[in-house]
Amino acid sequence: MLRIQKNIYFLLALTFLLGIGVGAGGTRVQAADGAESYNYSYWGLTTAAPAAYQANVLWNGESMGAGSFKEPSDFQVTEDQQIYVLDSGNNRVVVLDDKFHPVRTVSSFVRDGKEETFNNPQGLFVTDAKQLVIADTGNKRIVQLDRNGNLVKVIEAPKSDMLSEKFDFQPVRVVVDKAQRVYVMSTGVYDGFMEFSPDGTFTSFVGANRVSFNPTDYLWKMLSTKAQRSQMVMFTPTEFTNLDIDREGFIYATNGQDSGNVKKLNAQGNDILRREGYFAPEGDIRYTNATGPSRLIDIDVGDSEMYSILDGKRGRIFTYDGDGHLLYVFGGLGNQLGQFNTPVAIERLGDEFLVLDKALGEITVFQSTEYGRTLNDAVRAYYDGDEDKAFTLYQETISMNANLEFAYAGIGKALLRQGDYREAMKYFKKSMDQKGYSKAFLLYRKEVLREYFPGIMSGLLLLLVCWFGISRYRKWRGGKKVAFIKQRAV
């Protein structure tokens, strides 16, 4: 009994210390609200940065000539730069050209000779063949139409042993890969994205999130009785909040976790996202206890593996390169141009950013500044293997923002590819890139050894020959001297 009490006291003390640690960790960070454009240093400090993007145009349904939008929830820009806006409150899809002029409206389709409409749709996707796929949430189905608006197929609530009898199919987001497999994010599903074959048959779940829990809650659950545990909240995986798919078929996804909230899923559902930046891609890393971490609600994948995430809590857009380095931040909540009320989706139109505001029914257009264009082009040049161009562009970026430590690593990588290992070490050291520095150091050491190895070996061989000759000479002189002494003795 005494031993049990000691264990309980130890666990309570551990809980108290964990509480102190959590509280201390929360008060250590500070909000980054004071800067409109910023980045994070290697040490986690907020550093000022030039604006990479600035808002220049604000569009709504009336100014476009498409009629007032009512709670639009999603949109997509196709490769031919047409813009598909899901006007959820009006149960329609509005198609615009790159000048934001209306092209057509899709509000119904014909099925089995009867006209059917949408009911509060929440997500859409446009394939390379310009087929329109809509998550018709209110009608609990996925509707796929061809480029002329004719029905291709309808995916309704699936039947499977992997689903419970009470499963309620409420699709809210959808993407389609090049093999015509359909991936659906459904409300209340914790097992990942639902994968459907090209004929609409449910096949499996993809990319389930890991269960996350508070260590203190877990400890209390261990100490509680069975009856008490039954009243506690179960530890379940978090739901995904959005998804996008790149040209190679990898799914980029966001979820509602406090950390590890961005994933890149391969065909097997494994997370292969590279996280080589100073901090993992998850939005703001400095925040107050009152506001908490970022809540990511959308992700957009651009070219050269660059991707952007939208923080619904603060209205900010964070853009990263393929290695996970934070490039720039812009946006926010407010009433000025470039700020939002309820941002829900982001897209790229060429090198511009579009942000959809659900509450206001508006699309804000952000145009890149010289700084933003230079940084984007530097990332693209390095991705394409053009080391000389990447080196020049990263140098220009640093001249505009000396606080961007990541750019020094970019120069180091360009020099590494060029074979200038000694100079690369200097830039990796400036960027605190230990992995890059170690690689450059090893290559530089090999280069030095290759350069001086013949001379070193020749010198060693010469020393060996001299040593051998001197040894032989001493031995010969020593033997001759002994013979002379013997001769005189006789």
Side-chain angles (χ1 to χ4, degrees):
M1 184 67 181
L2 182 60
R3 185 175 182 181
I4 294 175
Q5 289 179 347
K6 286 182 178 180
N7 289 336
I8 293 176
Y9 291 148
F10 172 76
L11 291 173
L12 289 174
L14 181 61
T15 304
F16 178 72
L17 291 174
L18 285 172
I20 293 176
V22 171
T27 55
R28 178 180 59 83
V29 295
Q30 298 176 0
D33 297 331
E36 294 183 358
S37 183
Y38 60 94
N39 207 302
Y40 290 110
S41 70
Y42 171 82
W43 304 105
L45 301 176
T46 304
T47 58
Y53 278 83
Q54 291 181 338
N56 61 341
V57 181
L58 184 65
W59 292 95
N60 56 38
E62 294 178 349
S63 62
M64 298 174 190
S68 179
F69 288 151
K70 183 179 179 182
E71 297 187 345
S73 59
D74 198 10
F75 70 150
Q76 183 179 337
V77 177
T78 59
E79 288 191 3
D80 59 356
Q81 296 195 338
Q82 283 195 329
I83 306 165
Y84 287 68
V85 182
L86 185 60
D87 189 8
S88 302
N90 291 319
N91 298 314
R92 62 174 183 165
V93 176
V94 178
V95 184
L96 311 166
D97 62 18
D98 59 343
K99 304 299 182 183
F100 292 88
H101 299 148
V103 176
R104 63 190 175 97
T105 299
V106 180
S107 57
S108 63
F109 60 95
V110 177
R111 182 185 187 189
D112 298 331
K114 297 181 180 179
E115 185 178 24
E116 295 189 12
T117 58
F118 307 110
N119 181 14
N120 192 30
Q122 294 297 306
L124 62 76
F125 184 82
V126 184
T127 68
D128 294 338
K130 300 299 287 290
Q131 291 190 345
L132 178 60
V133 186
I134 300 173
D136 192 6
T137 310
N139 288 323
K140 301 182 179 181
R141 63 186 181 182
I142 299 292
V143 178
Q144 185 168 345
L145 309 175
D146 65 15
R147 61 170 59 237
N148 298 317
N150 300 316
L151 180 65
V152 176
K153 66 173 175 278
V154 175
I155 300 176
E156 296 181 314
K159 303 294 183 182
S160 172
D161 295 337
M162 290 183 285
L163 302 170
S164 66
E165 295 181 357
K166 297 180 179 180
F167 173 70
D168 188 15
F169 187 51
Q170 298 185 50
V172 289
R173 291 292 187 271
V174 59
V175 297
V176 182
D177 65 10
K178 294 185 182 298
Q180 299 304 306
R181 290 184 294 254
V182 181
Y183 298 91
V184 177
M185 188 182 86
S186 181
T187 300
V189 174
Y190 301 97
D191 298 309
F193 299 114
M194 303 180 69
E195 179 183 327
F196 295 84
S197 63
D199 63 0
T201 303
F202 173 69
T203 55
S204 63
F205 291 102
V206 176
N209 290 310
R210 291 185 178 182
V211 177
S212 60
F213 56 87
N214 187 308
T216 305
D217 293 339
Y218 181 73
L219 184 59
W220 280 116
K221 199 163 190 175
M222 289 178 58
L223 297 173
S224 303
T225 63
K226 185 176 181 180
Q228 291 173 330
R229 287 196 296 269
S230 64
Q231 301 297 320
M232 294 182 178
V233 177
M234 294 181 63
F235 297 137
T236 57
T238 56
E239 291 183 85
F240 285 104
T241 56
N242 221 316
L243 76 165
D244 195 9
I245 191 167
D246 67 6
R247 297 172 183 174
E248 298 178 352
F250 294 109
I251 295 177
Y252 287 71
T254 56
N255 58 52
Q257 296 176 172
D258 292 345
S259 61
N261 46 16
V262 180
K263 290 185 175 183
K264 179 181 179 180
L265 306 175
N266 59 15
Q268 290 74 38
N270 299 321
D271 182 15
I272 59 172
L273 186 72
R274 298 197 300 274
R275 299 175 175 86
E276 299 177 9
Y278 300 139
F279 303 94
E282 54 190 37
D284 276 319
I285 63 168
R286 296 176 67 85
Y287 47 84
T288 62
N289 286 336
T291 58
S294 298
R295 174 167 174 76
L296 307 184
I297 58 173
D298 194 17
I299 185 167
D300 175 70
V301 185
D303 63 293
S304 306
E305 291 191 333
M306 289 187 288
Y307 57 94
S308 302
I309 53 179
L310 173 61
D311 178 7
K313 185 179 291 185
R314 300 178 182 88
R316 294 171 182 160
I317 295 91
F318 301 80
T319 299
Y320 300 84
D321 70 357
D323 290 328
H325 292 101
L326 177 60
L327 302 180
Y328 42 77
V329 184
F330 63 93
L333 300 180
N335 299 317
Q336 299 179 0
L337 181 63
Q339 298 178 331
F340 325 107
N341 183 292
T342 312
V344 291
I346 52 174
E347 280 287 322
R348 285 178 181 263
L349 179 62
D351 213 25
E352 297 179 333
F353 269 99
L354 311 182
V355 181
L356 180 64
D357 193 310
K358 183 174 184 177
L360 302 178
E362 298 174 340
I363 296 177
T364 304
V365 182
F366 287 85
Q367 194 171 40
S368 60
T369 63
E370 182 182 0
Y371 171 71
R373 287 191 298 274
T374 305
L375 183 52
N376 287 339
D377 290 342
V379 174
R380 290 177 179 130
Y382 177 77
Y383 179 82
D384 294 335
D386 192 342
E387 293 84 6
D388 294 334
K389 185 177 180 180
F391 177 83
T392 302
L393 291 171
Y394 275 125
Q395 288 281 21
E396 293 179 11
T397 302
I398 290 175
S399 67
M400 290 184 277
N401 180 18
N403 293 328
L404 190 63
E405 295 172 335
F406 143 75
Y408 293 101
I411 295 175
K413 290 177 181 178
L415 291 170
L416 197 64
R417 285 187 175 181
Q418 293 173 355
D420 192 348
Y421 307 128
R422 183 177 182 180
E423 196 67 17
M425 288 168 58
K426 297 179 182 178
Y427 283 96
F428 282 129
K429 187 175 182 180
K430 288 182 179 180
S431 66
M432 306 296 288
D433 189 340
Q434 299 178 3
K435 185 177 179 180
Y437 183 89
S438 298
K439 186 175 182 180
F441 174 77
L442 290 174
L443 293 172
Y444 178 64
R445 185 176 64 181
K446 289 181 180 179
E447 185 180 62
V448 171
L449 288 175
R450 280 196 302 267
E451 181 178 355
Y452 294 102
F453 183 76
I456 294 173
M457 290 304 298
S458 299
L460 290 175
L461 184 60
L462 180 61
L463 290 174
L464 184 62
V465 170
C466 292
W467 175 81
F468 181 76
I470 293 171
S471 298
R472 295 288 296 178
Y473 175 75
R474 286 180 175 176
K475 187 176 181 180
W476 176 77
R477 288 287 297 174
K480 191 173 181 181
K481 186 175 181 180
V482 170
F484 176 74
I485 292 173
K486 288 183 178 179
Q487 186 178 14
R488 288 195 62 180
V490 171

